Amino acid sequence: MAQVVAPQQKGMGPGFWTVTLIMTAINIIWGFFVTNLDFGTLIPEASDRAVDIDNLFKFMAVFGGAITVYVTGYIVYFCIVWRRRATDPPDAIGIQIHDAPALEIWWTIIPAILLAVLSWLSVKVWAQIQFGTATATALSTEVIAHQFAYSFRYPGLADPVDEMHLPIGKPVHLIVTSTDVIHSFWVPDMRLKADTVPGITQYLNFTPTRLGTYTIECTEFCGLAHSQMSGKLVVESPEQFQTWLDRQKLAQSKAAAPSNPGEKK
Amino acid sequence: MAVLSTSALNANHGVIEVRYDDVDRAYSVQRDLRLLGFALFLLSDIVLFSMFIFAYLYLRNSVPLWPPVNSLGHQLPRFDLAFATMNSVVLFGSGVTMHFALEAWKRVERSAFFAWLFATIVLGVCFLLGQAYEYHSIAITWAGSTMGATFFTLTGMHGLHVFVGVVYLAILGIQASRGVYTPAKYFGLTAGTLYWHFVDVIWVALFFLFYLM
Amino acid sequence: MAVSAIGYGQQTFDQEHDHIHPEPDSFIRKYVFSIDHKIIGFQYMITGFLFFVIAGLLAEVIRIQLLTPAGAILKPEVYNGVYTLHGTAMVWMVIIPLVTGGFGNFVMPLQIGARDVAFPWLNMVSFWIFPVSGMLLFASVLVGAPDAGWTEYAPISVQGPPGTNLWCAAIFLIGISSTMTGLNFMVTIAKMRAPGMTWTRMPLFTWATFATALINMVATVALSAALAALFIERVFGVPFFDPAHGGSPILWQHMFWFYSHPAVYIMILPAFGIISEVLPTFARKPIFGYKMIAFSSLSIAILGFAVWAHHMFTSGLAPWLQLPFMLITMVIGIPTGIKIFSWMATLWGGKIHFSPAMLFAVGFLLTFSFGGVTGVFLASVPADLHEHGTYFVVAHFHYVLFGGSVFGIFSGMYYWWPKMTGRLMNEALGKWHFWTTFIGFNGTFLPMHWLGLYGMPRRYASYPAFAALYPQAQFWNDVASGFSFLMASSTLLFFANMLWSFKYGKPAGKNPWGARTLEWMIASPPPYYNFKHIPAVLDNPYYFDKPLPYRNLEDEDTPLEKPVDKPASHRTGAHA
Ligand code: HEA
Ligand code: HEA
Ligand code: CUA
Ligand SMILES: [Cu+2]
């Protein structure tokens, strides 16, 4: 068999550093763009944890974007520069290099560092979410999911209500359960999610930080009307909240009074 | 004869000498394949039991009290340790007899082999009968509680393995009596023994988990 | 000394298959209940692609349904069955059978210089379970299709329609088949490599198949256990998962994901293997970092067993357990990154020929690494609290499953098709197939990322609440649907190409790509005995500037005259 001679190559090839520079520039611009972007203008950030999670997401978007740009950019660039040309002999072969330990160490270490940083930031946000809310003084409310709606039980209210109201700025301690199958309680605008698992209680601790009406969705398949299972969360001023709560109390006691005891289940 | 004797190989890399008796060599390769295959099969079986054991431990840990309370609020009874111990001794005994059976085969003591094998089968059947008795006398049911669910599923799976083992050993006995195996070639017997010991080992785990823990 | 020169000493010589059985002559034994690994591989491919079309059409039904927020055509009860069958079939009836049963069977024994797998008969049984279980799965439609998604979370699955029982049975069976295939392949690779093929001379596809077989052997049984438990709970009311009777729904999730996370590596590792063969061949370069690629497959396979709970971050897992699962999940990014970078380095300095196989391989690099990065986004616990259960997850796994596994499958089909059939496919048509698929794919699944982040949950037959929340909801869903039609049509080009090649394809010859692994050293299609003489292997295959590292192949060009059934008594040793 006739031996083909492998081409030799000094340096990284034509245009490599230019391309690297361009991609780095793109990444720097992307980084500035993302870090200065107010995510709140895209999706409202209606709780304290929303801001933390979005910051984490910003970090991921910056380095995930960088990885995507470098990987995509280099692949496309290599494919163009190192393509076989019409002038190449049919048995032409590439540069016969099969290892470069220094390089391999770098591309093990750099992702490892990135992932370590991401883990560290994630742990910090996680700790903030888990332990950052003063539960002792918090408003304790129960979310009860059932096919196919959410009910909410407030301290001082005898019966659950089907709309959630919260006062702005006050820590909330949500107790999340289900009476039938698994649902998942999700308020996208608050980055607030917990599966509601029958037989298990989960807790969500957070502080609403923005006035408004928010949608609650169900993100775990729970039966035929899964896609119609939604609810309403109203964040209002403490005074409004108190008024609402009083009104509910009144309504419930009115409803309870005329009914005879035998009717109650 | 000249399969590997290409000139190129010789020229570049010297002569490869392979000396063996071909038939035996072929057998040992086959046995090698089957042994590894069989070992992997047992490994997958271990995973099967492990998953249910995991389920048992998980369910057990998810309630405050074990044995759990039933729907009427009564705590379920514990299993009968004394009887199970007796039955375990029967099973472990069968492991010992099986070991002797294989040793006898290797030493070309045919009648001893058949005697030991027969003892193994009898003990295996005794174990199954014992288990049937236990199922019958026990106060809990399969569908009644998580304890029943895990207990009957795990011991049932194990019992099924014992049953398959008994049938398997019987078949091996018939094959041996028909001269399928020779003193030098008896992979089936090795596999049967391995399987039987495996079933024993699983029982050790189950015994510990259900009766001692 | 002479012996160690080709590493003969460590190898078990493939003596059993060293004697050649005569080819069966009845049609049934030859093509239906065949025990020839090549035919079985083909059977897997035909069946797998058949299910691919069905599952793909179901996907198109999903996309049509989501054209309007109210749901365009289906009632929820039908829609739920549709995506459940789509996901189930794609995972168990398409990708896993294709990458392990299809490519593993056809390619792996050829690559290691064996005449068949270790247990050919078992192999046949494994295959025939597959169509049976596929039919069981789709028969569930007749009695009420399963509707709780491919993950069948308890307790809703315990109460689900009767078809769920068939679902359990079907997946249980295909699981058994996978386990047996894994066992078969592990023994084959461990014991039947040609003399001289040490572990570090093994082709990378074989390496990947080995790592996959390992997962199949260990993890798939766990799935069988979970399914058995669900089945007896549904049929006999035995409490495992239903909290109403003391069971635990979370237990199902543990048992399911203990299998199903490793299963995603079952689906991707063979694709990694395919890419590792295609890239060096068409770049005319040795694979960069051979050992790192081989060992990273193994480490991914092993690490993959310790990350399953990253699917359960919102499900009530004890909080302190979330952190270790997050960390180990992140760690998997490192060996995967090593692979991606090594493949990029393989492109560098090459003489790249863009055949359709190569285009799909390069496409794989782009889309898979993107999907992997979004996987890391999901691995971060706090971020997952927002992303879980949304279309962001759907986007992630289609990038890794379609952009990874399916691109790998297409690449492998273009690559090995000439070997399988002896004919070349049409390159121009193949390029059209690539570009339409690539564009259609990205157009379909890219928008799903922001749909999910803006608040669109999965498994929604309609999205009125989301459409009220996000004004462009319908627009982006329609974009996704539109591109998905392009992607579906593009698949027609692929099937057309296969048919074209049967009729017009040029004869491929032994080695149309100038590849260097063993399967290319023999005729296309390979004779039923593969190798007349078992080859000897002297070196790693991927050095393009060196002579081919094989001996004992001189005789392979002339077919064996007459089928012989020699006893295993002829010597395999060389004589002086
Ligand atoms: C390997 C796996 C795989 C593959 C290849 C695909 C391929 C596709 N998937 Fe799927 N998908 C899953 C695995 C996969 N999917 C899984 C596991 C789920 C989760 C299910 C669950 O929630 O339980 C899911 C869920 C899922 C959803 C979410 C459903 C929901 O949550 O409500 C959607 C929505 O768009 C979707 C779309 C698609 C589309 C458009 C394709 C397309 O790429 C398909 C294109 C291919 C074809 C169409 C086949 C070729 C057809 C022909 C050649 C015939 C000609 C056809 C025409 C001209 C129309 N998939
Ligand atoms: C082929 C299948 C496949 C593959 C390979 C992967 C790979 C990965 N997956 Fe994915 N995943 C699925 C299929 C797959 N996944 C499916 C089907 C689901 C949904 C199931 C369901 O609910 O229906 C899912 C869901 C899923 C979740 C759960 C989401 C949720 O429901 O909340 C998570 C969370 O951690 C996750 C993470 C990962 C990670 C970290 C990887 C990693 O292995 C990826 C590693 C790769 C890279 C990271 C890219 C290459 C690396 C570099 C270029 C180096 C530099 C990179 C960095 C420094 C980051 N996946
Ligand atoms: Cu409730 Cu979905
Ligand atoms: Cu996973």
Side-chain angles (χ1 to χ4, degrees), chain B residues 1 3-6 8-9 12-13 15-16 20 22 25 32-33 40 44 47-48 51-52 58 142-143 145-146 149 153, chain C residues 2 6 13 15-16 119 191 217-218 221-222 225 237-240 246 248 250 538 551-552 569 571-575:
Chain B
M1 167 135 179
V3 174
L4 271 186
S5 69
T6 56
L9 189 64
N12 289 355
H13 293 276
V15 183
I16 300 168
Y20 45 74
D22 287 317
R25 166 77 183 169
D32 234 37
L33 293 181
L40 288 174
S44 69
V47 176
L48 183 66
M51 283 318 278
F52 278 103
Y58 191 93
W142 196 21
S145 63
T146 51
T153 308
Chain C
I6 62 158
F13 192 59
Q15 176 94 26
E16 184 195 7
F119 309 109
K191 294 283 180 189
M217 268 295 306
V218 177
V221 190
V238 175
F240 282 103
S248 161
I250 305 292
L538 311 176
R551 294 294 177 271
N552 209 18
S569 62
R571 285 198 176 251
T572 14
H575 66 148

